[in-house]
Amino acid sequence: MKSIKGMMNHLYWANRRILDALEENETMNNDILKLVRHVAVAERVWLSRLQNKSNAHYSLWEEAEDLIVIRTMFEENAEQYRVYIEALQESELDEMVNYSNMSGVPFRTSVRDILLQVILHGQYHRGQINQALRIASAEPAQVDYITFARI
């Protein structure tokens, strides 16, 4: 549990850093905003699956116009994941979750693997966002795990 909690804390920190970089650089490219929103919504979708709730009302790839709305989503996600993980027992990490993907295809995945998916998915897309910042001659956010671990 300690590793999962540490990696999730890194996720919350890295999400804030990437949002801060976007605000500081005033980089509001529609493609970047759409990608940032995608990460926030994907976190919500996976949490709904973990909680055995419907996620049919979520759309992963909608246009986004407001970084403040996206930041609020990330803050709410962080709080909801903290509550979920605090209630989670180590033995529950290997429990299987039945869910359907956004196309309706059924799957069965462990809680541990779902949490790792959330962690790695966000890191993948933060790399893409940082690349877009560089292309726009803006300063990327340092979001490496080791930077987080050193603080």
Side-chain angles (χ1 to χ4, degrees):
M1 274 309 271
K2 183 179 177 184
S3 292
I4 294 283
K5 285 181 181 179
M7 290 169 36
M8 290 299 291
N9 285 331
H10 168 259
L11 175 129
Y12 313 140
W13 171 86
N15 284 342
R16 284 191 309 273
R17 297 222 7 151
I18 210 80
L19 291 167
D20 291 347
L22 290 170
E23 284 177 356
E24 288 167 18
N25 292 297
E26 298 178 0
T27 307
M28 298 302 155
N29 172 305
N30 286 342
D31 291 335
I32 295 174
L33 287 175
K34 188 175 183 178
L35 186 56
V36 175
R37 182 194 172 280
H38 166 77
V39 175
V41 173
E43 287 180 7
R44 286 192 172 186
V45 166
W46 283 110
L47 184 62
S48 69
R49 291 171 179 163
L50 288 167
Q51 296 172 327
N52 199 28
K53 294 180 180 176
S54 171
N55 58 42
H57 58 287
Y58 292 114
S59 175
L60 288 170
W61 290 107
E62 276 184 20
E63 296 293 324
E65 296 179 14
D66 191 345
L67 199 57
I68 294 169
V69 171
I70 297 169
R71 184 181 290 275
T72 300
M73 274 196 271
F74 276 118
E75 290 168 356
E76 290 170 355
N77 291 349
E79 181 57 31
Q80 291 176 25
Y81 270 102
R82 283 185 182 104
V83 168
Y84 174 80
I85 289 170
E86 279 306 312
L88 194 63
Q89 300 297 313
E90 179 88 28
S91 60
E92 294 173 303
L93 287 172
D94 294 317
E95 287 184 3
M96 300 304 285
V97 176
N98 295 309
Y99 63 94
S100 295
N101 69 8
M102 301 305 276
S103 299
V105 178
F107 288 95
R108 184 173 165 84
T109 306
S110 72
V111 169
R112 180 187 318 273
D113 286 340
I114 289 173
L115 291 172
L116 290 172
Q117 166 62 22
V118 171
I119 292 162
L120 296 172
H121 178 258
Q123 191 67 354
Y124 170 76
H125 287 306
R126 284 187 296 275
Q128 291 179 311
I129 295 162
N130 268 335
Q131 181 180 12
L133 284 168
R134 281 190 182 96
I135 290 168
S137 299
E139 188 66 30
Q142 177 52 261
V143 293
D144 285 344
Y145 183 82
I146 195 66
T147 303
F148 168 77
R150 290 176 181 151
I151 55 176

Coordinates of all heavy atoms in Angstrom, one line a residue, residues 14-101:
A14 N 2.1 16.0 -9.6 CA 2.5 16.2 -11.0 C 1.4 16.8 -11.8 O 1.6 17.7 -12.6 CB 2.9 14.8 -11.6
N15 N 0.1 16.5 -11.5 CA -1.0 17.1 -12.1 C -1.0 18.6 -11.8 O -1.2 19.4 -12.7 CB -2.3 16.5 -11.6 CG -2.6 15.2 -12.3 OD1 -2.0 14.8 -13.3 ND2 -3.5 14.4 -11.7
R16 N -0.8 19.0 -10.5 CA -0.7 20.4 -10.1 C 0.4 21.1 -10.9 O 0.2 22.2 -11.4 CB -0.5 20.5 -8.6 CG -1.8 20.3 -7.8 CD -1.6 20.7 -6.3 NE -0.4 20.2 -5.7 CZ -0.3 19.0 -5.1 NH1 -1.4 18.2 -5.0 NH2 0.8 18.6 -4.5
R17 N 1.6 20.5 -11.0 CA 2.7 21.1 -11.6 C 2.5 21.3 -13.1 O 2.8 22.4 -13.6 CB 4.0 20.2 -11.4 CG 4.3 20.1 -10.0 CD 5.7 20.2 -9.6 NE 6.7 20.5 -10.5 CZ 7.8 21.2 -10.1 NH1 7.9 21.5 -8.8 NH2 8.8 21.4 -10.9
I18 N 1.8 20.4 -13.8 CA 1.6 20.6 -15.2 C 0.5 21.7 -15.4 O 0.7 22.5 -16.3 CB 1.2 19.2 -15.9 CG1 1.6 19.2 -17.3 CG2 -0.3 19.0 -15.8 CD1 3.0 18.9 -17.6
L19 N -0.5 21.7 -14.5 CA -1.5 22.8 -14.6 C -0.8 24.2 -14.4 O -1.1 25.2 -15.1 CB -2.6 22.6 -13.6 CG -3.5 21.4 -14.0 CD1 -4.4 21.1 -12.8 CD2 -4.4 21.7 -15.2
D20 N 0.1 24.2 -13.4 CA 0.8 25.5 -13.1 C 1.6 25.9 -14.2 O 1.6 27.1 -14.6 CB 1.7 25.3 -11.8 CG 0.9 25.1 -10.5 OD1 -0.3 25.4 -10.5 OD2 1.5 24.7 -9.5
A21 N 2.3 25.0 -14.9 CA 3.1 25.3 -16.1 C 2.3 25.9 -17.2 O 2.6 26.8 -17.9 CB 3.9 24.1 -16.5
L22 N 1.1 25.3 -17.4 CA 0.2 25.8 -18.4 C -0.3 27.2 -18.1 O -0.3 28.1 -19.0 CB -1.0 24.8 -18.6 CG -0.6 23.5 -19.3 CD1 -1.8 22.5 -19.2 CD2 -0.2 23.6 -20.7
E23 N -0.6 27.4 -16.9 CA -1.1 28.8 -16.5 C 0.1 29.8 -16.6 O -0.1 30.9 -17.1 CB -1.6 28.8 -15.0 CG -3.0 28.1 -14.9 CD -3.5 28.1 -13.5 OE1 -2.7 28.4 -12.6 OE2 -4.6 27.6 -13.3
E24 N 1.3 29.4 -16.1 CA 2.4 30.4 -16.1 C 2.8 30.7 -17.5 O 3.2 31.9 -17.8 CB 3.6 29.7 -15.3 CG 3.4 29.7 -13.9 CD 4.4 28.8 -13.2 OE1 5.5 28.5 -13.8 OE2 4.2 28.4 -12.0
N25 N 2.8 29.8 -18.4 CA 3.2 30.0 -19.8 C 2.0 30.5 -20.7 O 2.2 30.7 -21.8 CB 3.8 28.7 -20.4 CG 5.1 28.4 -19.7 OD1 6.0 29.1 -19.8 ND2 5.1 27.2 -19.1
E26 N 0.8 30.6 -20.0 CA -0.3 31.1 -20.8 C -0.5 30.3 -22.0 O -0.9 30.8 -23.1 CB -0.3 32.6 -21.0 CG -0.2 33.4 -19.8 CD -0.1 34.9 -20.0 OE1 -0.1 35.3 -21.1 OE2 -0.1 35.6 -19.0
T27 N -0.3 29.0 -21.9 CA -0.4 28.1 -23.1 C -1.8 27.5 -23.0 O -2.0 26.5 -22.3 CB 0.7 27.0 -23.0 OG1 1.9 27.6 -22.8 CG2 0.7 26.1 -24.2
M28 N -2.7 28.0 -23.8 CA -4.0 27.5 -23.8 C -4.4 27.0 -25.2 O -5.5 27.1 -25.7 CB -5.0 28.7 -23.4 CG -4.7 29.2 -22.0 SD -4.9 27.9 -20.8 CE -3.9 28.5 -19.5
N29 N -3.5 26.3 -25.8 CA -3.8 25.6 -27.1 C -4.9 24.6 -26.9 O -4.9 23.9 -25.9 CB -2.5 24.9 -27.5 CG -2.6 24.0 -28.7 OD1 -3.4 23.1 -28.7 ND2 -1.7 24.3 -29.7
N30 N -5.9 24.6 -27.8 CA -7.0 23.7 -27.7 C -6.6 22.2 -27.6 O -7.3 21.5 -26.8 CB -8.0 23.9 -28.8 CG -8.8 25.2 -28.7 OD1 -8.9 25.8 -27.6 ND2 -9.3 25.7 -29.8
D31 N -5.6 21.8 -28.3 CA -5.2 20.4 -28.3 C -4.6 20.1 -26.9 O -4.9 19.0 -26.4 CB -4.2 20.1 -29.4 CG -4.8 20.2 -30.8 OD1 -6.0 19.9 -30.9 OD2 -4.0 20.4 -31.7
I32 N -3.8 21.0 -26.3 CA -3.3 20.7 -25.0 C -4.4 20.7 -24.0 O -4.4 19.8 -23.1 CB -2.2 21.8 -24.6 CG1 -1.0 21.8 -25.6 CG2 -1.8 21.7 -23.2 CD1 0.0 22.9 -25.4
L33 N -5.3 21.6 -24.0 CA -6.4 21.6 -23.1 C -7.3 20.3 -23.2 O -7.7 19.8 -22.2 CB -7.3 22.8 -23.3 CG -6.8 24.2 -22.8 CD1 -7.7 25.3 -23.2 CD2 -6.5 24.2 -21.3
K34 N -7.5 19.9 -24.4 CA -8.2 18.7 -24.6 C -7.5 17.5 -24.0 O -8.1 16.6 -23.4 CB -8.4 18.4 -26.1 CG -9.4 17.3 -26.5 CD -9.6 17.3 -28.0 CE -10.5 16.2 -28.4 NZ -10.8 16.2 -29.9
L35 N -6.2 17.5 -24.1 CA -5.4 16.4 -23.6 C -5.4 16.4 -22.0 O -5.5 15.4 -21.4 CB -4.0 16.4 -24.1 CG -3.0 15.3 -23.7 CD1 -3.6 14.0 -24.1 CD2 -1.7 15.6 -24.4
V36 N -5.2 17.6 -21.5 CA -5.3 17.7 -20.0 C -6.6 17.3 -19.5 O -6.7 16.6 -18.5 CB -4.9 19.2 -19.6 CG1 -5.0 19.3 -18.1 CG2 -3.5 19.6 -20.0
R37 N -7.7 17.7 -20.1 CA -9.0 17.4 -19.7 C -9.2 15.8 -19.8 O -9.8 15.2 -18.9 CB -10.1 18.0 -20.6 CG -11.5 17.7 -20.1 CD -12.5 18.1 -21.2 NE -13.8 17.6 -20.8 CZ -14.2 16.3 -21.0 NH1 -13.4 15.5 -21.6 NH2 -15.4 15.9 -20.7
H38 N -8.6 15.2 -20.8 CA -8.7 13.8 -21.0 C -8.1 13.1 -19.8 O -8.7 12.1 -19.3 CB -8.0 13.4 -22.3 CG -7.7 11.9 -22.4 ND1 -8.7 11.0 -22.7 CD2 -6.6 11.2 -22.2 CE1 -8.2 9.8 -22.7 NE2 -6.9 9.9 -22.4
V39 N -7.0 13.5 -19.3 CA -6.4 12.9 -18.1 C -7.3 13.0 -16.9 O -7.5 12.0 -16.2 CB -5.0 13.5 -17.8 CG1 -4.4 13.0 -16.6 CG2 -4.0 13.3 -19.0
A40 N -7.8 14.2 -16.7 CA -8.7 14.4 -15.6 C -10.0 13.5 -15.7 O -10.4 12.8 -14.7 CB -9.2 15.8 -15.5
V41 N -10.6 13.4 -16.8 CA -11.8 12.6 -17.0 C -11.4 11.1 -16.9 O -12.2 10.3 -16.3 CB -12.5 12.9 -18.3 CG1 -13.6 11.9 -18.6 CG2 -13.0 14.3 -18.3
A42 N -10.3 10.7 -17.5 CA -9.9 9.3 -17.4 C -9.7 8.8 -15.9 O -10.1 7.7 -15.5 CB -8.6 9.0 -18.1
E43 N -9.2 9.7 -15.1 CA -9.0 9.4 -13.6 C -10.4 9.2 -13.0 O -10.6 8.3 -12.3 CB -8.4 10.6 -12.9 CG -6.9 10.7 -13.2 CD -6.2 11.9 -12.4 OE1 -6.9 12.5 -11.6 OE2 -5.0 12.1 -12.7
R44 N -11.4 10.0 -13.4 CA -12.7 9.9 -12.9 C -13.4 8.6 -13.4 O -14.1 7.9 -12.6 CB -13.6 11.1 -13.3 CG -13.3 12.3 -12.6 CD -14.3 13.4 -12.8 NE -14.0 14.4 -11.9 CZ -14.8 15.5 -11.7 NH1 -15.9 15.6 -12.4 NH2 -14.4 16.4 -10.9
V45 N -13.2 8.2 -14.6 CA -13.7 7.0 -15.2 C -13.2 5.8 -14.4 O -14.0 4.9 -14.0 CB -13.4 6.9 -16.7 CG1 -13.7 5.5 -17.2 CG2 -14.2 7.9 -17.5
W46 N -11.9 5.8 -14.2 CA -11.3 4.6 -13.5 C -11.8 4.6 -12.0 O -12.1 3.5 -11.5 CB -9.8 4.6 -13.6 CG -9.3 4.2 -14.9 CD1 -8.7 4.9 -15.8 CD2 -9.4 2.8 -15.4 NE1 -8.4 4.1 -16.9 CE2 -8.8 2.9 -16.7 CE3 -9.9 1.6 -14.9 CZ2 -8.7 1.7 -17.5 CZ3 -9.8 0.5 -15.7 CH2 -9.2 0.6 -17.0
L47 N -12.0 5.7 -11.4 CA -12.5 5.7 -10.0 C -13.9 5.2 -10.0 O -14.3 4.4 -9.1 CB -12.4 7.1 -9.4 CG -12.8 7.2 -7.9 CD1 -11.9 6.3 -7.1 CD2 -12.8 8.6 -7.5
S48 N -14.7 5.6 -11.0 CA -16.1 5.1 -11.0 C -16.1 3.6 -11.2 O -17.0 2.9 -10.6 CB -16.9 5.8 -12.1 OG -16.5 5.4 -13.4
R49 N -15.2 3.1 -11.9 CA -15.1 1.6 -12.1 C -14.8 0.9 -10.8 O -15.3 -0.1 -10.4 CB -14.1 1.2 -13.2 CG -14.6 1.6 -14.6 CD -13.5 1.5 -15.6 NE -14.1 1.9 -16.9 CZ -13.3 2.1 -18.0 NH1 -12.0 2.1 -17.9 NH2 -13.8 2.5 -19.1
L50 N -13.8 1.5 -10.1 CA -13.4 1.0 -8.8 C -14.5 1.0 -7.8 O -14.7 0.1 -6.9 CB -12.2 1.8 -8.2 CG -10.9 1.6 -8.9 CD1 -9.9 2.6 -8.5 CD2 -10.3 0.2 -8.6
Q51 N -15.4 2.0 -7.9 CA -16.5 2.2 -7.0 C -17.8 1.5 -7.5 O -18.8 1.6 -6.9 CB -16.8 3.7 -6.8 CG -15.7 4.4 -6.1 CD -15.9 5.9 -6.1 OE1 -16.4 6.5 -7.0 NE2 -15.4 6.5 -5.0
N52 N -17.7 0.8 -8.6 CA -18.8 0.0 -9.2 C -19.9 1.0 -9.5 O -21.1 0.7 -9.3 CB -19.3 -1.1 -8.3 CG -20.1 -2.1 -9.0 OD1 -19.9 -2.3 -10.2 ND2 -21.0 -2.7 -8.3
K53 N -19.6 2.2 -10.1 CA -20.5 3.2 -10.5 C -20.5 3.3 -12.0 O -19.5 3.0 -12.7 CB -20.2 4.5 -9.9 CG -20.4 4.6 -8.4 CD -20.0 5.9 -7.9 CE -20.2 6.0 -6.4 NZ -19.7 7.3 -5.9
S54 N -21.6 3.8 -12.6 CA -21.7 4.0 -14.0 C -20.7 5.1 -14.4 O -20.5 6.1 -13.7 CB -23.1 4.3 -14.4 OG -23.1 4.7 -15.8
N55 N -20.1 4.9 -15.6 CA -19.3 5.9 -16.2 C -19.7 6.3 -17.6 O -19.0 7.0 -18.3 CB -17.8 5.5 -16.2 CG -17.5 4.3 -17.0 OD1 -18.1 4.0 -18.0 ND2 -16.7 3.4 -16.4
A56 N -21.0 5.9 -17.9 CA -21.5 6.1 -19.3 C -21.6 7.6 -19.6 O -21.6 7.9 -20.8 CB -22.8 5.4 -19.4
H57 N -21.8 8.4 -18.6 CA -22.0 9.9 -18.9 C -20.7 10.6 -19.1 O -20.7 11.8 -19.5 CB -22.7 10.5 -17.7 CG -22.1 10.3 -16.4 ND1 -22.0 9.2 -15.7 CD2 -21.4 11.2 -15.6 CE1 -21.3 9.3 -14.6 NE2 -20.9 10.6 -14.5
Y58 N -19.5 10.0 -19.0 CA -18.3 10.6 -19.3 C -17.9 10.5 -20.8 O -18.1 9.5 -21.4 CB -17.2 10.0 -18.4 CG -17.3 10.2 -17.0 CD1 -17.6 9.2 -16.1 CD2 -17.2 11.5 -16.4 CE1 -17.7 9.4 -14.7 CE2 -17.3 11.7 -15.1 CZ -17.6 10.7 -14.2 OH -17.7 10.9 -12.9
S59 N -17.2 11.6 -21.2 CA -16.7 11.6 -22.6 C -15.2 11.9 -22.4 O -14.8 13.0 -21.9 CB -17.4 12.7 -23.4 OG -16.8 12.8 -24.7
L60 N -14.4 11.0 -22.9 CA -12.9 11.2 -22.7 C -12.3 12.2 -23.6 O -11.2 12.7 -23.2 CB -12.3 9.8 -22.9 CG -12.5 8.8 -21.9 CD1 -12.0 7.4 -22.3 CD2 -11.9 9.2 -20.6
W61 N -12.8 12.6 -24.7 CA -12.1 13.4 -25.6 C -12.9 14.7 -26.1 O -12.9 15.0 -27.2 CB -11.7 12.6 -26.9 CG -10.6 11.7 -26.5 CD1 -10.7 10.3 -26.5 CD2 -9.2 12.0 -26.3 NE1 -9.5 9.8 -26.1 CE2 -8.5 10.8 -26.0 CE3 -8.5 13.2 -26.2 CZ2 -7.2 10.7 -25.7 CZ3 -7.1 13.1 -25.9 CH2 -6.5 11.9 -25.7
E62 N -13.5 15.3 -25.1 CA -14.3 16.6 -25.4 C -13.3 17.7 -25.5 O -12.3 17.7 -24.8 CB -15.3 16.8 -24.3 CG -16.6 16.1 -24.5 CD -17.6 16.5 -23.5 OE1 -17.5 17.6 -22.8 OE2 -18.5 15.7 -23.3
E63 N -13.7 18.7 -26.2 CA -13.0 20.0 -26.2 C -13.0 20.6 -24.8 O -14.0 20.4 -24.1 CB -13.6 21.0 -27.2 CG -13.5 20.5 -28.7 CD -12.0 20.5 -29.2 OE1 -11.2 21.3 -28.8 OE2 -11.7 19.6 -30.0
A64 N -12.0 21.4 -24.5 CA -12.0 22.1 -23.2 C -11.6 23.5 -23.4 O -10.7 23.8 -24.3 CB -11.0 21.4 -22.3
E65 N -12.2 24.4 -22.7 CA -11.9 25.8 -22.9 C -11.3 26.5 -21.6 O -10.7 27.5 -21.7 CB -13.1 26.6 -23.3 CG -13.7 26.1 -24.7 CD -14.9 26.9 -25.1 OE1 -15.2 27.9 -24.4 OE2 -15.6 26.4 -26.0
D66 N -11.6 25.9 -20.5 CA -11.3 26.5 -19.2 C -10.4 25.7 -18.3 O -10.8 24.6 -17.9 CB -12.6 26.9 -18.5 CG -12.4 27.8 -17.3 OD1 -11.3 28.0 -16.9 OD2 -13.4 28.3 -16.9
L67 N -9.1 26.2 -18.1 CA -8.2 25.4 -17.3 C -8.6 25.4 -15.8 O -8.3 24.4 -15.1 CB -6.8 26.1 -17.4 CG -5.6 25.2 -17.0 CD1 -5.6 23.9 -17.8 CD2 -4.3 26.0 -17.2
I68 N -9.4 26.4 -15.4 CA -9.9 26.4 -14.0 C -10.8 25.2 -13.8 O -10.8 24.6 -12.7 CB -10.6 27.8 -13.7 CG1 -9.5 28.9 -13.8 CG2 -11.3 27.7 -12.4 CD1 -10.1 30.3 -13.7
V69 N -11.7 25.0 -14.7 CA -12.6 23.8 -14.6 C -11.8 22.5 -14.6 O -12.1 21.6 -13.7 CB -13.6 23.8 -15.8 CG1 -14.5 22.5 -15.8 CG2 -14.5 25.0 -15.7
I70 N -10.8 22.4 -15.4 CA -10.0 21.2 -15.4 C -9.2 21.1 -14.1 O -9.2 20.0 -13.5 CB -9.0 21.2 -16.6 CG1 -9.8 21.2 -17.9 CG2 -8.0 20.0 -16.5 CD1 -8.9 21.5 -19.1
R71 N -8.7 22.2 -13.5 CA -8.0 22.1 -12.2 C -9.0 21.6 -11.1 O -8.6 20.8 -10.3 CB -7.4 23.5 -11.9 CG -6.6 23.5 -10.6 CD -6.1 24.8 -10.2 NE -5.0 25.2 -11.1 CZ -3.7 24.9 -10.9 NH1 -3.4 24.1 -10.0 NH2 -2.8 25.4 -11.8
T72 N -10.2 22.1 -11.2 CA -11.2 21.7 -10.2 C -11.4 20.2 -10.3 O -11.5 19.5 -9.3 CB -12.5 22.5 -10.4 OG1 -12.2 23.9 -10.2 CG2 -13.6 22.0 -9.4
M73 N -11.5 19.7 -11.5 CA -11.7 18.2 -11.7 C -10.5 17.5 -11.1 O -10.7 16.5 -10.4 CB -11.7 17.9 -13.2 CG -13.1 18.0 -13.8 SD -13.1 17.1 -15.4 CE -12.6 18.4 -16.5
F74 N -9.3 17.9 -11.3 CA -8.1 17.2 -10.7 C -8.2 17.3 -9.2 O -7.8 16.3 -8.6 CB -6.8 17.8 -11.3 CG -6.4 17.3 -12.6 CD1 -6.2 18.1 -13.7 CD2 -6.0 16.0 -12.7 CE1 -5.8 17.7 -14.9 CE2 -5.6 15.5 -13.9 CZ -5.5 16.3 -15.0
E75 N -8.5 18.4 -8.7 CA -8.6 18.5 -7.2 C -9.7 17.6 -6.6 O -9.5 16.9 -5.6 CB -8.9 20.0 -6.8 CG -7.7 20.9 -7.1 CD -8.1 22.4 -6.9 OE1 -9.3 22.7 -6.7 OE2 -7.2 23.2 -7.1
E76 N -10.8 17.5 -7.3 CA -11.9 16.6 -6.8 C -11.4 15.2 -7.0 O -11.7 14.3 -6.1 CB -13.2 16.9 -7.6 CG -13.8 18.2 -7.3 CD -15.0 18.6 -8.2 OE1 -15.2 17.8 -9.2 OE2 -15.6 19.6 -8.0
N77 N -10.8 14.9 -8.1 CA -10.2 13.5 -8.3 C -9.3 13.1 -7.1 O -9.4 12.0 -6.6 CB -9.5 13.4 -9.6 CG -10.4 13.5 -10.8 OD1 -11.6 13.4 -10.7 ND2 -9.8 13.6 -12.0
A78 N -8.4 14.0 -6.8 CA -7.4 13.7 -5.8 C -8.1 13.5 -4.5 O -7.7 12.5 -3.8 CB -6.4 14.9 -5.7
E79 N -9.0 14.3 -4.1 CA -9.7 14.1 -2.9 C -10.5 12.7 -2.9 O -10.4 12.0 -1.9 CB -10.7 15.2 -2.6 CG -11.5 15.1 -1.3 CD -10.6 15.0 -0.1 OE1 -9.5 15.5 -0.1 OE2 -11.0 14.3 0.9
Q80 N -11.2 12.4 -3.9 CA -11.9 11.2 -4.0 C -11.0 9.9 -4.0 O -11.3 8.9 -3.4 CB -12.8 11.2 -5.2 CG -14.0 12.2 -5.1 CD -14.8 12.2 -6.3 OE1 -14.9 11.3 -7.1 NE2 -15.5 13.4 -6.5
Y81 N -9.9 10.0 -4.7 CA -8.9 8.9 -4.7 C -8.3 8.8 -3.3 O -8.1 7.6 -2.8 CB -7.8 9.1 -5.7 CG -8.1 8.5 -7.0 CD1 -8.5 9.3 -8.1 CD2 -8.0 7.1 -7.3 CE1 -8.9 8.7 -9.3 CE2 -8.3 6.6 -8.5 CZ -8.7 7.4 -9.5 OH -9.0 6.8 -10.7
R82 N -8.0 9.9 -2.6 CA -7.5 9.8 -1.2 C -8.5 9.0 -0.3 O -8.1 8.2 0.5 CB -7.2 11.2 -0.7 CG -5.9 11.8 -1.2 CD -5.6 13.1 -0.5 NE -4.4 13.7 -1.0 CZ -4.4 14.7 -1.9 NH1 -5.5 15.3 -2.3 NH2 -3.2 15.2 -2.4
V83 N -9.7 9.4 -0.4 CA -10.8 8.8 0.4 C -10.8 7.3 0.1 O -10.9 6.4 1.0 CB -12.1 9.5 0.2 CG1 -13.3 8.6 0.9 CG2 -12.1 10.9 0.8
Y84 N -10.9 7.0 -1.2 CA -11.0 5.6 -1.7 C -9.8 4.8 -1.2 O -9.9 3.7 -0.6 CB -11.0 5.5 -3.2 CG -11.0 4.1 -3.7 CD1 -12.1 3.3 -3.7 CD2 -9.8 3.5 -4.2 CE1 -12.1 2.0 -4.2 CE2 -9.8 2.2 -4.6 CZ -10.9 1.5 -4.6 OH -10.9 0.2 -5.1
I85 N -8.6 5.3 -1.3 CA -7.3 4.6 -1.0 C -7.2 4.4 0.5 O -6.7 3.4 1.0 CB -6.1 5.2 -1.6 CG1 -6.2 4.9 -3.1 CG2 -4.8 4.7 -1.0 CD1 -5.2 5.7 -4.0
E86 N -7.6 5.4 1.3 CA -7.5 5.3 2.8 C -8.4 4.2 3.3 O -8.1 3.6 4.3 CB -7.9 6.7 3.4 CG -6.7 7.6 3.4 CD -5.5 7.1 4.1 OE1 -5.5 6.5 5.2 OE2 -4.4 7.2 3.4
A87 N -9.5 4.0 2.6 CA -10.5 2.9 3.1 C -10.0 1.5 2.5 O -10.6 0.5 3.0 CB -11.9 3.2 2.6
L88 N -9.1 1.5 1.6 CA -8.7 0.3 1.0 C -7.7 -0.5 1.8 O -6.7 0.1 2.4 CB -8.0 0.6 -0.4 CG -7.8 -0.5 -1.4 CD1 -9.1 -1.0 -1.9 CD2 -7.0 0.1 -2.6
Q89 N -7.9 -1.8 2.0 CA -7.0 -2.7 2.7 C -6.0 -3.3 1.7 O -6.3 -3.5 0.5 CB -7.8 -3.8 3.4 CG -8.8 -3.3 4.4 CD -8.1 -2.5 5.5 OE1 -7.1 -3.0 6.1 NE2 -8.7 -1.4 5.9
E90 N -4.8 -3.6 2.2 CA -3.8 -4.2 1.3 C -4.3 -5.4 0.6 O -4.1 -5.6 -0.6 CB -2.6 -4.6 2.2 CG -1.5 -5.3 1.4 CD -0.5 -4.3 0.8 OE1 -0.3 -3.2 1.4 OE2 0.1 -4.7 -0.2
S91 N -5.1 -6.3 1.3 CA -5.7 -7.5 0.7 C -6.6 -7.2 -0.5 O -6.8 -8.0 -1.3 CB -6.3 -8.3 1.7 OG -7.4 -7.6 2.3
E92 N -7.2 -6.0 -0.5 CA -8.2 -5.7 -1.5 C -7.5 -5.3 -2.8 O -8.2 -5.2 -3.9 CB -9.1 -4.5 -1.0 CG -10.0 -4.9 0.1 CD -10.7 -3.8 0.7 OE1 -10.1 -2.8 1.1 OE2 -12.0 -3.8 0.7
L93 N -6.2 -5.0 -2.8 CA -5.5 -4.6 -4.0 C -5.6 -5.7 -5.1 O -5.6 -5.4 -6.3 CB -4.1 -4.3 -3.8 CG -3.8 -3.0 -3.0 CD1 -2.3 -2.9 -2.7 CD2 -4.2 -1.8 -3.9
D94 N -5.7 -6.9 -4.7 CA -5.8 -8.0 -5.7 C -7.2 -8.5 -6.0 O -7.4 -9.4 -6.8 CB -4.9 -9.2 -5.2 CG -3.4 -8.8 -5.2 OD1 -3.0 -8.2 -6.1 OD2 -2.8 -9.1 -4.2
E95 N -8.2 -7.8 -5.4 CA -9.6 -8.1 -5.8 C -9.8 -7.7 -7.2 O -9.3 -6.7 -7.7 CB -10.6 -7.4 -4.8 CG -10.6 -8.0 -3.5 CD -11.6 -7.4 -2.6 OE1 -12.4 -6.5 -3.0 OE2 -11.6 -7.8 -1.4
M96 N -10.7 -8.4 -7.9 CA -11.0 -8.2 -9.3 C -12.2 -7.3 -9.4 O -13.2 -7.4 -8.6 CB -11.2 -9.5 -10.0 CG -10.0 -10.5 -10.0 SD -8.5 -9.7 -10.6 CE -8.9 -9.8 -12.4
V97 N -12.1 -6.4 -10.4 CA -13.2 -5.5 -10.7 C -13.8 -5.8 -12.1 O -13.0 -5.9 -13.0 CB -12.7 -4.0 -10.6 CG1 -13.8 -3.0 -11.0 CG2 -12.1 -3.7 -9.3
N98 N -15.1 -6.0 -12.1 CA -15.7 -6.2 -13.4 C -16.3 -4.8 -13.9 O -16.9 -4.1 -13.2 CB -16.9 -7.1 -13.3 CG -16.5 -8.5 -12.9 OD1 -15.6 -9.1 -13.5 ND2 -17.1 -9.0 -11.8
Y99 N -16.0 -4.5 -15.2 CA -16.4 -3.2 -15.7 C -16.4 -3.4 -17.2 O -15.9 -4.3 -17.8 CB -15.5 -2.1 -15.3 CG -14.0 -2.3 -15.8 CD1 -13.6 -1.7 -17.0 CD2 -13.1 -3.0 -15.1 CE1 -12.3 -1.9 -17.5 CE2 -11.8 -3.2 -15.6 CZ -11.4 -2.7 -16.8 OH -10.2 -2.9 -17.3
S100 N -17.0 -2.4 -17.9 CA -16.9 -2.3 -19.4 C -16.2 -1.1 -19.8 O -16.3 0.0 -19.1 CB -18.3 -2.3 -19.9 OG -19.0 -3.5 -19.7
N101 N -15.4 -1.2 -20.9 CA -14.7 0.0 -21.4 C -15.7 1.0 -22.0 O -16.9 0.7 -22.0 CB -13.6 -0.4 -22.3 CG -14.0 -0.9 -23.6 OD1 -15.2 -1.0 -24.0 ND2 -13.1 -1.4 -24.4

